[in-house]
Amino acid sequence: MPKAIGVTLEEARRIIAAAKDKAAEIKQPMNIAVVDEGANLVAFERMDGAWIGSIDIAQKKAFTSRAFDLDTKTLGENSQSGNQFFGIHASNNGKVMIFAGGVPLKRNGEVVGAIGISGGSGVQDQTVAEAGAAAFAK
Amino acid sequence: MPKAIGVTLEEARRIIAAAKDKAAEIKQPMNIAVVDEGANLVAFERMDGAWIGSIDIAQKKAFTSRAFDLDTKTLGENSQSGNQFFGIHASNNGKVMIFAGGVPLKRNGEVVGAIGISGGSGVQDQTVAEAGAAAFAK
Amino acid sequence: MPKAIGVTLEEARRIIAAAKDKAAEIKQPMNIAVVDEGANLVAFERMDGAWIGSIDIAQKKAFTSRAFDLDTKTLGENSQSGNQFFGIHASNNGKVMIFAGGVPLKRNGEVVGAIGISGGSGVQDQTVAEAGAAAFAK
Amino acid sequence: MPKAIGVTLEEARRIIAAAKDKAAEIKQPMNIAVVDEGANLVAFERMDGAWIGSIDIAQKKAFTSRAFDLDTKTLGENSQSGNQFFGIHASNNGKVMIFAGGVPLKRNGEVVGAIGISGGSGVQDQTVAEAGAAAFAK
């Protein structure tokens, strides 16, 4: 049987479904991406009417969150001018996003993937990403 | 209600489901992408065990098919060394794929999106893409 | 304990050591790269005097071999003008190499990484890559 | 005998070994890169469990340190918003890293290469890079 790396497609679909429910609840259409343990894309959905420019951002937030095993929100705080990771957004050929919306997916306390959300304010993106990640943790 | 451009997320999911059924039938895990009328990604799924290098290719086949309103297979035939479109793969910042697996999605005879499949041989990719496109035409 | 994905650093170092032995035997300094199951770099070594331009190629051959679970030599044969994958080198943002020297690393028959070699002729690169892969299979 | 430029592979391996010892001591898995006098990669190792996003950053810190013959930490201080080199991270096709972890390798007072470390906080990265550079100076 073909092997998934950390996150199966079935799990990614469940995560996306939970994220869409939260997005519908707060009435903000979103772009939703899930990457696996190797930081490679497993599944993506753009809700009707969600920003076109966020197709790329959602995927890159998911990549970033798994690449550094943390919330992109936290990375962002450390990447402002004067802080320890300022300039990190120039690395990884433009794939590093340093604002809220990327959240790691954990299994038994270990990061095995990530979800990335883009389409609303930072607070909205973070809220929806956390809803998706919570569905995986269950 | 938020507006989709040519292909809704609901329709994209139905197309992907049909493609996955065909991929399962021929026993070849696939990467499946659907773009809308603006050639922008609506949804993507990587079946467990499908090639990592095809995440990018499936999306680019879908882009290419809508970008030129034809099967990437047909574009490929015209893009071999000595033929009229040889070199077209260097355009659009590397987003043009010139081998089988990208198929337009039509509504009332008009192209409103495309599906891109990557993960097997050219014949397998084409077969699965056609199955996905057929589900949309219904 | 920190988890490796498919190939540990210790294993990568053993693979590289075997590749270097073969390179020394055929008297051709090489660039040697090993990627893990997620197609991400684990270790790299450039032997003294090996081509600078091959630093990039060795890494991309390793990526390509894992990305498509095959020898880059085989992919190359299928990617010539007129063949089914012609144009695939334009995908994955220039990371796809379609000539000999990339070989999958298998565990229990499943691909869990790859080795990429660059620095000599196609035959030399392939020979050294196979020697490295053989050391992993043991 | 094939010629190395400033730093041989043997020396690079010794530098990396010292860096790994320090990383193990502070219990933080790291990505470790060594470039030569031409600012080209000689060797790289990712310790098991080290951040995937830091594969790229470690290599770029090493490049940057040799490219400007200084600690990336120092360059970073001069590259914050309002300071004299603000914006330098946009140069060299995104290869310039402006935070701690890149340290020059010196022979007889002259820079002949550099080490780049990524995987922890700025302080941790710097500590490990200095341990690697010290092993070369001996």
Side-chain angles (χ1 to χ4, degrees):
Chain A
M1 200 184 127
K3 205 182 120 204
I5 308 172
V7 180
T8 66
L9 174 54
E10 197 52 42
E11 290 169 327
R13 284 167 54 88
R14 189 155 49 81
I15 292 162
I16 289 177
K20 283 194 293 189
D21 284 349
K22 179 57 77 175
E25 184 189 319
I26 66 169
K27 295 180 173 32
Q28 186 63 33
M30 293 291 190
N31 287 269
I32 307 162
V34 173
V35 300
D36 66 13
E37 195 165 355
N40 296 307
L41 190 64
V42 180
F44 169 88
E45 292 194 9
R46 172 160 52 106
M47 295 172 71
D48 296 347
W51 292 338
I52 292 171
S54 286
I55 296 170
D56 179 74
I57 295 174
Q59 293 181 50
K60 288 179 176 173
K61 281 183 183 171
F63 167 82
T64 302
S65 184
R66 166 53 187 141
F68 301 105
D69 292 349
L70 43 57
D71 282 19
T72 54
K73 187 187 169 198
T74 305
L75 184 64
E77 286 158 7
N78 282 283
S79 304
Q80 302 303 309
S81 182
N83 292 0
Q84 66 173 336
F85 293 145
F86 176 63
I88 198 172
H89 57 288
S91 76
N92 287 277
N93 302 312
K95 288 201 292 176
V96 173
M97 292 292 109
I98 53 175
F99 48 105
V103 171
L105 298 172
K106 294 185 185 180
R107 181 173 278 134
N108 306 325
E110 207 172 342
V111 179
V112 295
I115 180 173
I117 301 291
S118 185
S121 68
V123 170
Q124 289 175 317
D125 290 357
Q126 184 68 19
T127 300
V128 173
E130 287 174 2
F136 180 70
K138 267 179 220 165
Chain B
M1 201 185 126
K3 205 182 116 202
I5 308 173
V7 180
T8 65
L9 174 53
E10 197 51 42
E11 289 169 328
R13 285 168 53 88
R14 189 155 50 82
I15 293 162
I16 289 176
K20 283 194 293 189
D21 284 349
K22 178 59 75 176
E25 185 190 318
I26 65 169
K27 294 179 173 35
Q28 186 63 33
M30 293 290 190
N31 288 268
I32 307 162
V34 173
V35 299
D36 65 12
E37 197 165 351
N40 297 305
L41 190 64
V42 179
F44 168 87
E45 293 194 9
R46 171 160 52 107
M47 296 171 72
D48 295 348
W51 291 338
I52 292 171
S54 286
I55 295 170
D56 179 75
I57 295 174
Q59 294 180 52
K60 289 179 174 170
K61 282 183 183 171
F63 167 82
T64 302
S65 183
R66 166 53 188 141
F68 300 106
D69 292 348
L70 42 58
D71 281 18
T72 54
K73 186 186 169 201
T74 305
L75 183 64
E77 286 158 9
N78 282 282
S79 304
Q80 300 303 310
S81 182
N83 292 1
Q84 65 172 337
F85 292 144
F86 176 65
I88 198 172
H89 57 287
S91 74
N92 286 275
N93 300 313
K95 288 201 291 176
V96 173
M97 292 292 108
I98 53 173
F99 47 108
V103 171
L105 299 171
K106 294 186 184 178
R107 180 173 278 135
N108 306 324
E110 207 173 340
V111 178
V112 296
I115 180 173
I117 301 290
S118 185
S121 68
V123 170
Q124 289 175 316
D125 291 356
Q126 184 69 20
T127 299
V128 172
E130 286 174 2
F136 180 70
K138 265 180 220 166
Chain C
M1 201 184 127
K3 207 182 119 204
I5 308 172
V7 180
T8 66
L9 174 54
E10 197 52 43
E11 290 169 327
R13 284 167 54 88
R14 189 154 51 80
I15 292 162
I16 289 177
K20 283 194 292 189
D21 283 348
K22 179 57 76 177
E25 185 189 318
I26 65 169
K27 294 179 173 35
Q28 186 63 34
M30 293 290 190
N31 288 269
I32 307 161
V34 173
V35 300
D36 66 12
E37 195 165 354
N40 295 307
L41 190 65
V42 179
F44 169 88
E45 292 194 10
R46 171 160 53 105
M47 296 172 71
D48 296 347
W51 292 337
I52 291 171
S54 286
I55 296 170
D56 179 74
I57 295 174
Q59 293 181 51
K60 288 179 176 173
K61 282 183 184 172
F63 167 81
T64 302
S65 184
R66 166 54 186 140
F68 301 105
D69 293 350
L70 44 56
D71 283 18
T72 54
K73 186 188 169 198
T74 305
L75 184 63
E77 287 158 8
N78 282 283
S79 303
Q80 302 304 309
S81 182
N83 292 0
Q84 66 173 335
F85 293 145
F86 176 63
I88 198 172
H89 56 287
S91 76
N92 287 276
N93 302 311
K95 288 202 290 178
V96 173
M97 292 291 110
I98 52 174
F99 47 106
V103 171
L105 299 172
K106 293 186 185 180
R107 181 173 277 135
N108 305 325
E110 206 172 342
V111 179
V112 295
I115 180 173
I117 301 290
S118 185
S121 68
V123 170
Q124 289 175 316
D125 291 356
Q126 184 68 19
T127 300
V128 173
E130 287 174 2
F136 180 70
K138 266 180 219 165
Chain D
M1 201 185 125
K3 206 183 117 205
I5 309 173
V7 180
T8 65
L9 174 54
E10 197 52 42
E11 289 168 328
R13 284 167 54 89
R14 189 155 50 81
I15 293 162
I16 288 176
K20 282 194 292 188
D21 283 349
K22 178 57 77 177
E25 186 189 318
I26 66 170
K27 295 179 173 33
Q28 187 63 34
M30 293 290 189
N31 288 269
I32 307 163
V34 173
V35 299
D36 65 13
E37 198 166 351
N40 296 306
L41 190 65
V42 179
F44 169 88
E45 293 194 8
R46 172 159 52 106
M47 295 172 72
D48 295 347
W51 290 338
I52 292 171
S54 286
I55 296 169
D56 179 75
I57 295 174
Q59 294 181 52
K60 289 179 174 169
K61 281 183 182 171
F63 167 82
T64 302
S65 184
R66 167 51 188 142
F68 300 106
D69 292 348
L70 43 57
D71 282 18
T72 54
K73 185 187 169 198
T74 305
L75 182 65
E77 286 158 8
N78 283 282
S79 304
Q80 300 304 308
S81 181
N83 292 1
Q84 65 174 334
F85 292 144
F86 176 64
I88 198 171
H89 57 286
S91 74
N92 287 274
N93 300 314
K95 289 202 290 178
V96 173
M97 291 292 107
I98 53 173
F99 48 107
V103 171
L105 299 172
K106 294 185 185 180
R107 180 173 279 134
N108 305 324
E110 207 172 341
V111 179
V112 295
I115 180 172
I117 301 291
S118 185
S121 69
V123 170
Q124 290 175 316
D125 291 356
Q126 184 69 19
T127 299
V128 173
E130 287 175 1
F136 179 71
K138 266 181 219 165

